[in-house]
Amino acid sequence: MRFENKVERLRIEKHGGKETKEFLEDVQKLTSGEAFEYLMGEVTFCGAKIDLSLRPMIPRPETEFWVHQAIENILSSKTEFSLRVLDVFSGSGNVGLAILKNIPESIVDFIEVDPKLSEQINISIRKNNIKKTRTRVVTGDIWEGVSGTYDYIFAVPPYVPPSMKEEVMKELSAESPLSFFDKEDGYYYHTQVMSSAKEFLKEGGTLYLEFDITQREKIETLALAHGFSNYTFLKDPYGHECTINLVK
């Protein structure tokens, strides 16, 4: 989005079309490198309002694109009255909230390591008028706090190698690096997810796992190494395969 368009949206959508003192302060912040989404305070993701007041990772359009595909797939194949869904590496909670918003029969558990972001998820749950009985927000690392088995697991883990930190943070200075960087070579968290996912999936359950478009070949190798032979790939808006759909 062009800078001029961002300024106009701030003026109209946030400041009621007026060039107030607060509006001019926002323009200055935008000029200084603040993220437009943080200034707006929320984004829409597959119809769900995602609050950004505590500065989680900003949901990406590429992720929204494949999550929309996943929701369509779930709705077209749904046979159970109630679906149990797990959103690990929840961040802002955008993926799980999209499921809750679009699939009324869903119950979603969120797992997020950062206590501040667990609070952020609860803010968005309230903002979307979602019943608390349909949600459980756990502060924990990957599988910590998992309860039982699930029909679907969604994982958008950090997958940028630490070696690229300096390069990447030049473009992402407004966001916390915790959301982006893997512990090792870019596959540590993918491996952690695939090595244990079957334990927490129902028979016939599905894991959706996002990765960088440069990682596709290695991700397929890891999937086969962990016993997943039934899988397909989802694409981003540009036709690149960015998510693997693994069926137990």
Side-chain angles (χ1 to χ4, degrees), residues 42-246:
E42 69 176 37
V43 297
T44 300
F45 185 93
C46 294
K49 295 178 181 178
I50 310 301
D51 186 87
L52 301 177
S53 59
L54 301 183
R55 302 180 71 87
M57 176 181 172
I58 299 166
R60 287 342 196 227
E62 293 83 357
T63 302
E64 182 179 27
F65 189 82
W66 74 255
V67 170
H68 179 73
Q69 294 177 65
I71 289 170
E72 289 188 335
N73 291 343
I74 293 170
L75 289 172
S76 65
S77 62
K78 184 171 65 66
T79 57
E80 300 293 329
F81 177 74
S82 179
L83 295 176
R84 291 199 78 221
V85 179
L86 175 64
D87 177 7
V88 293
F89 307 100
S90 296
S92 67
N94 54 301
V95 176
L97 286 158
I99 299 297
L100 288 162
K101 193 74 173 179
N102 290 277
I103 306 176
E105 301 84 359
S106 62
I107 299 170
V108 177
D109 286 356
F110 299 84
I111 299 182
E112 169 53 48
V113 71
D114 186 343
K116 181 181 72 173
L117 297 188
S118 294
E119 180 184 349
Q120 179 73 92
I121 294 166
N122 279 313
I123 292 171
S124 288
I125 289 170
R126 293 191 293 271
K127 182 171 280 192
N128 286 277
N129 297 313
I130 293 168
K131 293 181 180 178
K132 283 291 291 181
T133 54
R134 297 179 60 206
T135 70
R136 189 170 67 99
V137 182
V138 177
T139 301
D141 189 17
I142 311 182
W143 304 111
E144 190 177 350
V146 170
S147 173
T149 56
Y150 298 86
D151 298 285
Y152 295 93
I153 297 175
F154 288 82
V156 183
Y159 48 70
V160 178
S163 60
M164 296 181 63
K165 185 171 182 178
E166 184 176 347
E167 175 187 347
V168 171
M169 288 312 294
K170 289 178 182 177
E171 300 179 13
L172 304 171
S173 57
E175 296 172 272
S176 167
L178 180 65
S179 304
F180 295 93
F181 296 101
D182 186 66
K183 285 185 177 181
E184 297 177 358
D185 59 356
Y187 300 98
Y188 173 83
Y189 290 114
H190 290 113
T191 301
Q192 293 298 308
V193 170
M194 283 194 258
S195 64
S196 299
K198 285 187 176 182
E199 179 182 350
F200 304 110
L201 279 171
K202 296 179 181 179
E203 197 61 41
T206 301
L207 164 67
Y208 287 92
L209 180 62
E210 184 178 281
F211 55 86
D212 186 79
I213 59 174
T214 63
Q215 298 176 316
R216 188 243 188 251
E217 184 176 347
K218 176 69 172 180
I219 289 293
E220 185 170 15
T221 300
L222 285 172
L224 292 170
H226 287 95
F228 287 100
S229 57
N230 185 1
Y231 60 87
T232 54
F233 289 92
L234 297 180
K235 296 181 179 180
D236 67 15
Y238 315 105
H240 302 123
E241 291 176 329
C242 65
T243 300
I244 191 166
N245 171 2
L246 301 154

